[in-house]
Amino acid sequence: MKQQKISTLQTLFTVTSTVYAVGIVSLPRTIVEQTQTPDVWQGLLLASLLGAGVVFINVKLCRRFPGKTFYEINPVIAGKFIGLLINIAFIVYCTMICSLVTRMMAEFLKALALEKTPLSMILLPFLLLIGYLTSGGIHAMVRLVELFFPLTFIVFLLLIILNINHFDLDNLRPVFHNGWDPIFKSLKVVPFSTLGFESMLILTNFMAHPQKAWKAGGSGYSIAMGLYLLMVTMVIGCMSVEEVSRLQWPVVSFAQQIEFPGSFLERFEIFFIILWTIKIFMTAANYYFYLVAGISQLTKKWNKYIYYLPLLFIFAVSMYPQNFIQIGKLNEMTGYLGIIICAAIPLLLLVISIIFHRKSKPDGQSKKVT
């Protein structure tokens, strides 16, 4: 598995596609509920800048240990026992991400198109497809990302462009009317939508040119968060704070506003729903690969059982929440867990490796630099 290499552009696309996508359909509403003001984009911008900083930290950590993934770096820096605990925590985190992504995707499709279909019947084929894709290794995954990324990018931009005539700048005013307090409040709900920076902890090792990891990771993350920032700003600008706060999925209503002359293509939101589902699939598949890669490296095995066995745990966790309130709580908990495991711990490990001069030679052997 570790012999498979991907290009810098493929890494960029993969990072962009990994950034959590399911939350975008409700993100404008959740931020508005916290701020109660048009100051919704500032908090997302601040979180995006912090996320880009985390990408840099993660790349810097991996570049000190060429040829090693995050799972292999942890025992070198923190010791075997603590390193094992960190690895298990990261695997649990990826499991929770996959479970939440698939469950919220299923809830979304059930409400809009598959009302009489049980959630389990929506989840099962989705998860089996993820397992099948992962069995092809990272090359199969990045090729799928390359195939669908341009299409999802174009539809996303069309959604913005075709709604420009509804945009009213007054809906974004006044700016900083209540100071910084609403912006800091928005950070309570933003973290889960800004996850994805942890991708470079795994992907750096698979890059054909790891010296370009910061360029690929930083650019990919910035593109994703730039699009999210643009989407949230446009939704508020077109629909106002009051209207957005009353909608379960504001972005879907945003897509339904698009009108074509002569009743041509009346249901543009169908294109958004289809492409959004593909984006969710890529996000879940990427995180599932990170999970399986960890299990493979910890057990020193890579076989068909590893592809599919974790799907049982993901399915069980996906079906556990009984309502949207429990989903929201699990969502929030996973967001904070991601910040600890994928941002705080790599920063701590980087500091420790610098202080104690821990790094690896190009051949992967650990050494202490004096």
Side-chain angles (χ1 to χ4, degrees), residues 9 14 29 37 65 143 163 223 231 260 284 293 298 344 357 360:
L9 186 61
T14 305
R29 173 181 54 80
T37 71
F65 297 86
R143 286 169 185 164
N163 268 298
I223 289 172
M231 175 64 76
F260 290 89
L298 291 179
H357 305 285
S360 291

Side-chain angles (χ1 to χ4, degrees), residues 153-170:
F153 185 79
I154 291 171
V155 171
F156 199 100
L157 289 182
L158 281 176
L159 185 62
I160 300 295
I161 295 171
L162 295 175
N163 268 298
I164 288 180
N165 60 319
H166 297 115
F167 185 80
D168 185 356
L169 189 60
D170 290 336

Side-chain angles (χ1 to χ4, degrees), residues 46-306:
L46 178 59
S48 300
L49 294 175
L50 294 175
V54 175
V55 173
F56 178 79
I57 292 171
N58 292 345
V59 169
K60 194 72 173 178
L61 175 64
C62 292
R63 292 290 294 127
R64 289 182 65 85
F65 297 86
K68 293 183 181 293
T69 64
F70 184 60
Y71 295 107
E72 297 168 315
I73 292 172
N74 291 329
V76 174
I77 299 177
K80 291 185 178 181
F81 180 71
I82 297 179
L84 178 63
L85 293 180
I86 296 174
N87 288 338
I88 293 174
F90 190 81
I91 291 174
V92 171
Y93 161 74
C94 291
T95 302
M96 294 178 68
I97 287 281
C98 285
S99 301
L100 275 169
V101 167
T102 52
R103 173 58 185 271
M104 294 179 73
M105 180 276 304
E107 291 283 0
F108 181 78
L109 293 180
K110 181 177 177 64
L112 293 181
L114 305 172
E115 295 182 5
K116 297 183 180 180
T117 305
L119 282 173
S120 58
M121 293 299 102
I122 301 175
L123 288 170
L124 281 175
F126 190 83
L127 291 175
L128 289 175
L129 283 173
I130 290 174
Y132 179 73
L133 176 64
T134 306
S135 67
I138 194 170
H139 281 169
M141 293 180 54
V142 297
R143 286 169 185 164
L144 184 70
V145 170
E146 284 183 305
L147 176 64
F148 286 111
F149 179 84
L151 189 57
T152 55
F153 185 79
I154 291 171
V155 171
F156 199 100
L157 289 182
L158 281 176
L159 185 62
I160 300 295
I161 295 171
L162 295 175
N163 268 298
I164 288 180
N165 60 319
H166 297 115
F167 185 80
D168 185 356
L169 189 60
D170 290 336
N171 289 332
L172 295 175
R173 297 170 177 168
V175 180
F176 288 108
H177 178 66
N178 295 322
W180 287 91
D181 187 58
I183 298 173
F184 290 132
K185 286 183 178 179
S186 68
L187 294 178
K188 297 179 181 179
V189 296
V190 163
F192 200 57
S193 296
T194 59
L195 295 175
F197 41 70
E198 64 275 22
S199 300
M200 296 310 297
L201 293 172
I202 307 298
L203 296 178
T204 301
N205 177 65
F206 290 96
M207 292 184 65
H209 304 285
Q211 66 274 15
K212 298 181 180 180
W214 163 238
K215 178 181 178 180
S219 299
Y221 186 82
S222 299
I223 289 172
M225 295 314 302
L227 291 174
Y228 281 15
L229 180 62
L230 180 60
M231 175 64 76
V232 170
T233 304
M234 284 295 298
V235 169
I236 301 299
C238 292
M239 305 174 69
S240 79
V241 170
E242 292 76 15
E243 184 177 357
V244 168
S245 63
R246 296 192 297 265
L247 299 172
Q248 179 68 27
W249 293 300
V251 175
V252 177
S253 301
F254 179 69
Q256 290 173 341
Q257 291 186 147
I258 298 176
E259 298 178 355
F260 290 89
S263 299
F264 173 73
L265 200 62
E266 293 182 352
R267 302 292 302 275
F268 183 83
E269 72 274 10
I270 293 177
F271 289 95
F272 171 74
I273 293 171
I274 293 173
L275 271 298
W276 179 84
T277 304
I278 295 173
K279 177 69 166 63
I280 291 300
F281 178 79
M282 293 189 294
T283 299
N286 291 341
Y287 274 107
Y288 188 70
F289 177 80
Y290 305 156
L291 184 162
V292 171
I295 296 176
S296 173
Q297 291 183 6
L298 291 179
T299 60
K300 305 301 180 183
K301 295 181 180 180
W302 180 262
N303 54 49
K304 61 182 180 180
Y305 301 108
I306 291 180

Side-chain angles (χ1 to χ4, degrees), residues 323-336:
N323 49 53
F324 278 105
I325 295 177
Q326 292 184 5
I327 293 175
K329 290 181 179 179
L330 187 61
N331 188 340
E332 183 178 358
M333 181 179 68
T334 305
Y336 290 123

Side-chain angles (χ1 to χ4, degrees), residues 301-321:
K301 295 181 180 180
W302 180 262
N303 54 49
K304 61 182 180 180
Y305 301 108
I306 291 180
Y307 305 150
Y308 296 104
L309 281 179
L311 295 176
L312 298 175
F313 296 96
I314 293 176
F315 179 78
V317 177
S318 298
M319 294 298 296
Y320 177 77

